[in-house]
Structure formats: structure tokens, C-alpha cells
Amino acid sequence: MELHPTLRRQLKRLGLDENTPPDSSNWQELLERLHKHYVGSDEERYVLERSLQVYSEEMKHLYEALQLSSQSALAQEKNKLLSVFTSLTDGVLEIDIDGNILYINAAAAHALEPWQNSPLKQSLLNYLKLHVPFSESNLDHDSLIQWLSWGEKLRDDNAQVLLPDGKYIPISCALGPIITDNQITGHVAVFRDMRLQKQAESELRNAKTLAEDALKTKADFLATMSHEIRTPLNGVIGMADLLMDTELNENQKNYVHTLSRSAQVLLSLINDILDFSKIEAGKMNLESASFGFKPLLQDLRDMFTYPFEHKKITYNEQLADDLPAVVSGDINRLRQVLINLLGNALKFTAKGSVTLNISPVEEGTDYWRVRFAVTDTGIGISKEAQAKLFEAFTQADSSTTRKFGGTGLGLSISKKLIELMQGELAVSAELGKGSTFFFVINLAKSKEVLLEKTHIHHISTNASNHEKTILLVEDNKVNQLVASKLLQKFGYAHRIAENGEEALKQMAERSFDAILMDCQMPVMDGFEATRTIRLMEENTGQHIPIIGLTANALDGDRERCMACGMDDYSTKPIKINELQEKLTYWVQWFNTHTIDM
């Protein structure tokens, strides 16, 4: 037998081995030693077992404490999360992968509380109507489950929640997946009651409709008032111009000039109100055509030479040499702004000068950036007044209106027109030391070559016109008289028709070289009459020029005239030079282009 090394060492110390008989005294000593050893081992084992027991109980208490602490922390977090869900005004639901409701917060429960049965464990589609994304089709149960299984987020701002009476209320709903260990274990649905928002949207739409109706009513009113005011103004201005062309003494000339000037001021006020209304309604559109700076300056010079000379104010023009001869833009609106600035400068300058400066700022690939500035030596403007200068119906102060007159619309309209041209109208001024109004706009480059325009400054009679006959279609007696006198001055023979129907009868009896067609008339208006004439001309090779005359001046009038078949368009009050030029052009055109079939 192989003894344990420790036992073998004990035997050796006692002079024994495994072959020594057990009756020797050494054996007794060995037994005593073994007894002591076992007793010591028992004591050590007891101490060890006791220590293990103590440690085990301490570990158990520690584990239980940790477990309680963890459960408490988890409970606190859970309560906190539930508190958040409970306080939400949006409904929150948890659903399993089959779409059944597992959790519902207070807002969702309140929305669904009319039902006697709890929504828990029921399908989400028992309460919600969802749509297929980017479609008006509804998601059925199987389609919803399939969509959720993909782990995609689903949002429907036009979803609905069912009410007990079978009706639905509008909601906005969002669905998102719950992912645990890379597996979809459920979904969270959040929905918001949209009734108030839908109601607000409906009210907003109704308000928008009412506003649009009011705007249309306002536009119709302005168009009607424009027509009704321009019609008598046409007679006033026309007769004043005709009277000016007769033999008058100095006093009579002054009276007529004052009459004409007052009518022109009234017309300017009407135009300002119409422009302001169009800009306010967002209906102001810019046109684009080629024009030259020199003809523009000539137009302004023709208009302002007499007023500047009469007031003994020096008028200067500064046109930079490196400007192009021709550019493209809205010449009419640009001229309107410059007329307003020059008119203001003239109005507020008692002595000294007014200077119009036009200079290039930058040349681009397809545009010129040009600066316009009007400088005067007038009364100037205080810093305080400059802050509100471009507001509608505003002038520097109340005394300005009393002393100089005006509506305060001119600068507001000019500023908005320049903004439409992608520029900004600004002012540099000092009280008592004059002002400079300036703006910079982009004007497109143009390859067109403009011919020098001959300006007609006075009514001239052309003897060859006696061979031409104009049909004047006009229902207003005063306007008939004004237009008849002008046609006589131009040298044209003419006949008068009271309305479109009468015009067609006269055209059946004889031919005319051109037609001046009023647009607004009883029985048959100018638009219908023009359309009828164009139908009659089909397949004949003939095309009689028709120039529309209207007292309306709103956007769309020109387009409406052109759309019905008119060749040109002019607003009332009639501008003598403009009408003469248009008649000359179209009568000549008619005689060179008409082909008899």
C-alpha cells in the first residue's frame, strides 16, 4: 500500500514504517499525534464552515438589498415614464406584433372611453382607420400587420378614430416599431385629435374665401369706379385739349390750362389708387420690352420742360457715356417711378435745380445693373420723417399735405415697383438741404436696334387722311363728341355707331380703314363685336384694324382686348398724340396688308 506522503513523514520521525508492528510504544505516540491533528482539523473546519455561513448570509442580505434597490429604481423609472405618458395630451398605445392593444395612456383611454368594452387585447383597427402611405386607400388588418412586420414607420395625418355612433373624428397618427435584441416585439402608436386644427383650417379657408371675395368685390368696385370716373374725365381732358387748340386770349388760355392740369391731377390720383390696389392684391405684373435711355429721357423732358420753366427751376440730365443704347425691361413702370420722383422733386423745390442721373454700376453676362438718382435742392427731409416716408398715405408731416397736396401713395407705389424689379428705392436727405432718391435695378441686354421715334407735340392734320374713314363705336355722347373732334383734327372722315350691333350693320353697308372700339357698351359690347368681326373675316384675307378704347385700367384689360381679336389698346382719357400715332400706324398697315379675295 502506498502511504500518503504526510503520514510517511510522521512514521519516519517516529522511526516507524508501514512494516513496523503496532505494539511498539511509537505507535501510541503516533495515535496521539493523529488524534490531535484530527481535533485541530475539526476545529478549523468548524471555523471555516461558520465563516462560510456568515459570508453566505451577508451575501444573501446584500443581494436582497440590491434586488430591492434595483426594483425600486426600476419602479421609479417606470412610474416616471408612466407619468409622462399620462400627462401627454396625445394618445399613446402599445400594440403587439399582431396589432392587439397592450397598453393605453390616459389621453387615448379618454378618446376611446365611450365604448363599454376595454380596448385592451383588441385590434388597433377596431378603432383607427389608417391609409396606405401616399394613397387614399385604407389599410385593412392583414395589410397593417404586413406593414408593421417590415419595421417601417407609418405616419398618417389624415387618419381617423371611430366614435360610438359610427362616425370618425380626424386624427394625426404615427406608428413606430419596438425592437428588442434586433427583433420587432411590438409597436407604439401615437395619435393626436385634429378636430380643432381641422376646424381652424376650415375657418382659415372660409376666411381666405371671404377675403378673396372681398378682394374681388374691391377690384370690381375699383374697375367700375375707374370706368365711371374716367369716362367723364375723358370728356373734360379731351374738350380742354380741343379748346386749347382754338383762338383764345391769355386769360382763357390760363383758365383752360388750369382746367386741364386739374383733370390730369385727378387722373393721376385715380391711377395711384388703382396701382396701390393692384400691388396690395399681388396682381401687379411687370412686362419686358426693349427701350433706349435717350428716348426715355426725351419722354421725361417733354413732360417736365414746361413745369420746370414755369417754376424757374433748372432741370439737368446726366446720362453716362458707357451706358448701352438699348436694354430690356418694363419701360412703362420705370417711367412711372421716374415721373413720380421728378414730380416730387419739382413740387418740393422752390429754387435751384433738379438733376436726373443715370449711370451703369455693373455689366453682367446678360444684364446691365443701372443706377437711377433724382437729386433736388428743395426742402429736404428730416431723419425722423425718412423712417416712414415710404409708407402708404404718408408724407413727411401733416403740413406737407396742407401745403403741397397729394395722397402720399406715390413713393409707396414707386418703392413696391422697384422691389418688383429686384431693386430697392432709398433716400439720402437732410432737412433744408435737399434730397436724393435713388435705386439700382437690373435691365436685360437687348440686341434690338430701335429707330428714332418722331414725337408729335401738337395736333396735326394730314390732308391724305380725308380719303380714310374711321368707324367710331362709342355709346357716350360726350366721348363721341371728343373723339369726333379729334378725328376731324387728324383729317379723318368718320362715322359713329352707338354699340357693337350697330357697328356690324354699318360694316355691312360700307368698308372702313380702322375701327375705334369702346369696350363697355349696351346691347353688344366691344369684345363681342370684335369677336364677331374676326369670325366674319375668316377665309376672306381681310383684317380691319381695331383699336380698343376702355375706361378700365386694371391688369388683364390689355390681354382681354388682345384675346378677343383687337390689334391695339388705349385707355381713357384719350391721349391725343398716342391716338394719332396708333391710327397713323394701323391705317397705313391696313392699306399695305389687306388682300381682296
Side-chain angles (χ1 to χ4, degrees):
M1 176 182 65
E2 183 70 25
L3 298 177
H4 191 277
T6 302
L7 181 57
R8 187 181 295 115
R9 285 195 297 274
Q10 291 294 330
L11 291 173
K12 186 176 181 181
R13 288 174 184 169
L14 297 173
L16 301 174
D17 59 27
E18 62 268 26
N19 297 319
T20 304
D23 56 351
S24 65
S25 59
N26 291 337
W27 274 105
Q28 187 64 34
E29 186 178 352
L30 175 62
L31 291 175
E32 289 177 359
R33 287 187 178 185
L34 290 175
H35 173 71
K36 291 179 180 179
H37 176 73
Y38 283 127
V39 171
S41 296
D42 288 343
E43 290 177 351
E44 290 176 357
R45 185 174 69 251
Y46 173 78
V47 172
L48 180 60
E49 289 176 350
R50 181 59 182 167
S51 297
L52 289 174
Q53 183 179 3
V54 170
Y55 290 149
S56 176
E57 290 177 356
E58 289 179 351
M59 290 297 294
K60 180 180 178 181
H61 293 322
L62 180 60
Y63 173 75
E64 290 174 350
L66 289 173
Q67 188 177 35
L68 288 174
S69 175
S70 177
Q71 289 175 347
S72 176
L74 288 173
Q76 288 180 2
E77 292 300 321
K78 181 179 179 181
N79 291 336
K80 192 182 298 182
L81 186 60
L82 289 174
S83 176
V84 171
F85 284 152
T86 302
S87 64
L88 287 176
T89 56
D90 292 337
V92 179
L93 302 95
E94 179 188 357
I95 60 175
D96 61 21
I97 58 175
D98 295 321
N100 298 316
I101 300 173
L102 302 178
Y103 166 80
I104 182 170
N105 77 335
H110 177 72
L112 304 178
E113 69 180 356
W115 281 265
Q116 295 180 354
N117 298 326
S118 171
L120 293 175
K121 301 300 182 182
Q122 295 190 47
S123 172
L124 179 68
L125 287 185
N126 290 343
Y127 302 95
L128 300 182
K129 180 188 289 186
L130 303 173
H131 296 93
V132 177
F134 312 110
S135 171
E136 296 297 323
S137 302
N138 292 327
L139 277 167
D140 57 26
H141 184 273
D142 293 339
S143 298
L144 175 62
I145 298 305
Q146 183 179 20
W147 184 269
L148 296 179
S149 69
W150 294 334
E152 297 288 342
K153 294 180 180 179
L154 177 64
R155 182 183 179 90
D156 186 358
D157 290 328
N158 294 307
Q160 295 173 314
V161 64
L162 182 65
L163 293 176
D165 58 4
K167 296 181 180 179
Y168 285 86
I169 62 173
I171 63 169
S172 176
C173 184
L175 283 168
I178 300 173
I179 299 176
T180 305
D181 296 330
N182 296 323
Q183 295 293 324
I184 299 173
T185 57
H187 286 77
V188 172
V190 180
F191 69 84
R192 174 172 295 179
D193 189 338
M194 300 294 286
R195 278 177 291 186
L196 291 178
Q197 181 171 330
K198 295 291 184 182
Q199 181 181 354
E201 290 175 354
S202 177
E203 292 174 352
L204 184 61
R205 284 193 296 271
N206 292 335
K208 181 175 179 291
T209 300
L210 289 174
E212 289 173 345
D213 291 342
L215 193 61
K216 184 178 184 302
T217 301
K218 177 182 176 182
D220 292 342
F221 171 76
L222 286 172
T224 302
M225 291 306 298
S226 169
H227 180 271
E228 294 304 319
I229 295 174
R230 283 171 180 272
T231 297
L233 263 182
N234 183 58
V236 173
I237 295 175
M239 295 306 293
D241 288 341
L242 290 171
L243 187 59
M244 187 75 74
D245 201 45
T246 63
E247 292 293 332
L248 301 173
N249 60 39
E250 198 62 31
N251 283 337
Q252 290 172 331
K253 287 182 180 180
N254 290 334
Y255 296 156
V256 175
H257 176 75
T258 301
L259 173 65
S260 178
R261 179 60 183 165
S262 298
Q264 291 292 346
V265 170
L266 179 57
L267 178 62
S268 177
L269 294 178
I270 295 171
N271 290 336
D272 280 352
I273 293 171
L274 287 173
D275 282 344
F276 182 76
S277 176
K278 286 185 285 186
I279 292 172
E280 189 180 48
K283 298 296 180 67
M284 178 69 75
N285 297 315
L286 297 179
E287 299 178 353
S288 182
S290 295
F291 69 91
F293 291 108
K294 290 184 178 180
L296 172 62
L297 289 178
Q298 181 64 54
D299 288 343
L300 297 173
R301 195 179 306 120
D302 291 343
M303 182 175 297
F304 284 101
T305 295
Y306 174 78
F308 275 109
E309 290 178 352
H310 180 74
K311 201 173 180 181
K312 297 181 180 179
I313 302 297
T314 303
Y315 173 54
N316 302 311
E317 296 172 347
Q318 296 176 350
L319 184 65
D321 294 333
D322 50 348
L323 276 171
V326 183
V327 291
S328 183
D330 194 327
I331 176 61
N332 293 320
R333 294 304 179 186
L334 177 58
R335 185 191 294 112
Q336 179 180 347
V337 172
L338 292 175
I339 288 173
N340 181 268
L341 297 182
L342 288 171
N344 282 347
L346 176 62
K347 181 192 299 184
F348 297 114
T349 301
K351 61 180 180 178
S353 65
V354 173
T355 302
L356 170 60
N357 179 280
I358 305 177
S359 58
V361 174
E362 176 189 359
E363 180 183 5
T365 305
D366 55 358
Y367 68 89
W368 280 91
R369 191 159 177 77
V370 183
R371 183 180 187 271
F372 298 79
V374 174
T375 302
D376 64 64
T377 59
I379 62 176
I381 309 168
S382 67
K383 295 296 183 183
E384 294 76 17
Q386 291 179 36
K388 59 181 181 180
L389 193 60
F390 296 105
E391 297 177 6
F393 304 103
T394 299
Q395 291 191 335
D397 56 48
S398 58
S399 63
T400 302
T401 303
R402 290 195 302 270
K403 183 176 181 180
F404 298 99
T407 62
L409 280 175
L411 285 177
S412 175
I413 292 171
S414 297
K415 180 176 176 61
K416 292 184 182 298
L417 287 175
I418 295 302
E419 287 173 351
L420 285 174
M421 299 179 194
Q422 307 301 312
E424 182 178 358
L425 178 60
V427 61
S428 174
E430 186 176 347
L431 191 61
K433 295 185 178 180
S435 309
T436 297
F437 286 84
F438 59 93
F439 58 90
V440 178
I441 58 173
N442 288 353
L443 296 169
K445 290 185 175 180
S446 176
K447 296 180 180 179
E448 187 175 345
V449 177
L450 297 181
L451 299 177
E452 191 70 21
K453 183 178 178 181
T454 302
H455 292 264
I456 303 173
H457 301 288
H458 304 284
I459 301 174
S460 59
T461 301
N462 188 335
S464 64
N465 288 344
H466 288 295
E467 302 173 1
K468 314 300 180 186
T469 303
I470 309 299
L471 177 59
L472 172 63
V473 189
E474 171 66 67
D475 65 308
N476 184 276
K477 296 297 183 181
V478 175
N479 289 340
Q480 287 178 6
L481 177 60
V482 171
S484 295
K485 293 297 182 181
L486 288 177
L487 291 174
Q488 291 173 12
K489 288 290 184 180
F490 299 160
Y492 294 107
H494 71 280
R495 297 184 67 175
I496 298 175
E498 295 279 345
N499 55 62
E501 190 174 280
E502 186 176 328
L504 295 176
K505 291 179 181 179
Q506 294 203 34
M507 289 183 67
E509 298 172 357
R510 58 160 299 163
S511 61
F512 296 93
D513 294 278
I515 299 175
L516 288 179
M517 181 76 75
D518 186 31
C519 294
Q520 289 77 26
M521 295 179 293
V523 184
M524 179 185 287
D525 64 25
F527 301 114
E528 184 178 353
T530 301
R531 284 190 291 266
T532 303
I533 292 171
R534 296 307 180 217
L535 287 173
M536 294 168 55
E537 290 176 340
E538 287 185 358
N539 302 320
T540 66
Q542 294 185 344
H543 183 99
I544 185 169
I546 300 177
I547 301 172
L549 295 175
T550 178
N552 288 340
L554 298 175
D555 280 351
D557 290 336
R558 179 182 181 84
E559 290 74 13
R560 189 180 178 191
C561 289
M562 299 299 105
C564 75
M566 295 182 184
D567 299 286
D568 214 329
Y569 161 92
S570 185
T571 59
K572 298 176 184 176
I574 294 172
K575 302 175 183 66
I576 297 177
N577 291 342
E578 177 185 290
L579 181 61
Q580 186 175 9
E581 289 176 354
K582 288 186 176 183
L583 278 172
T584 301
Y585 173 82
W586 286 111
V587 168
Q588 291 176 353
W589 182 93
F590 178 65
N591 283 275
T592 56
H593 288 76
T594 302
I595 303 173
D596 293 327
M597 299 293 290

